[in-house]
Amino acid sequence: QVQLAESGGGLVQAGGSLRLSCAASGRTFGSWSMGWFRQALGNERDFVAGISWSGGLTYYADSVKGRFTISRDHAKNTVILQMNRLKPEDTAVYYCAVTSSPSRLDLRLLYNYWGQGTQVTVSS
């Protein structure tokens, strides 16, 4: 069992930045790949970014490439999503998740555990 807790969401103006954190506890953290997804009101939950268990491989949705950065800290059992140059269309609830899959981190169905989510609102 893995427990995940997101933090760092909030309200920011367009062009601003936010830093989301996901703290993991439970089973060995280092053996899991991690991902961030987001769900806007009325939409499906979409892939945002993913990172391999070693942290050496990262993946991004086209809509966030060059603006968002995912990283992980094994010592702190934490995954970070640094979001820069935010746009109103980035407004959503952001979820972190873990998967035992080493690849296709963009596939929501491969994730085993999910956090409760944190709201990000970007005003224009």
Side-chain angles (χ1 to χ4, degrees):
Q1 194 81 352
V2 176
Q3 293 79 42
L4 303 171
E6 303 95 337
S7 61
L11 173 64
V12 64
Q13 288 188 332
S17 299
L18 282 175
R19 181 181 171 93
L20 304 184
S21 295
C22 176
S25 60
R27 291 178 58 182
T28 305
F29 180 62
S31 60
W32 300 92
S33 297
M34 304 287 292
W36 285 95
F37 288 73
R38 66 186 182 188
Q39 187 168 16
L41 192 63
N43 290 357
E44 293 188 350
R45 192 170 297 186
D46 295 326
F47 172 74
V48 176
I51 189 166
S52 64
W53 71 270
S54 68
L57 296 174
T58 56
Y59 309 86
Y60 298 94
D62 288 342
S63 59
V64 307
K65 279 181 183 176
R67 300 188 298 122
F68 292 10
T69 303
I70 188 171
S71 61
R72 67 191 297 170
D73 184 336
H74 285 277
K76 296 181 180 180
N77 285 352
T78 300
V79 172
I80 301 295
L81 185 67
Q82 178 66 44
M83 306 187 296
N84 299 327
R85 304 202 310 274
L86 283 160
K87 304 175 181 180
E89 51 263 44
D90 294 319
T91 295
V93 177
Y94 283 70
Y95 299 88
C96 70
V98 298
T99 175
S100 56
S101 172
S103 62
R104 295 309 311 271
L105 299 187
D106 59 319
L107 294 181
R108 184 182 63 196
L109 294 180
L110 293 181
Y111 285 79
N112 306 88
Y113 300 99
W114 293 83
Q116 293 299 308
T118 184
Q119 176 70 47
V120 171
T121 303
V122 185
S123 62
S124 58

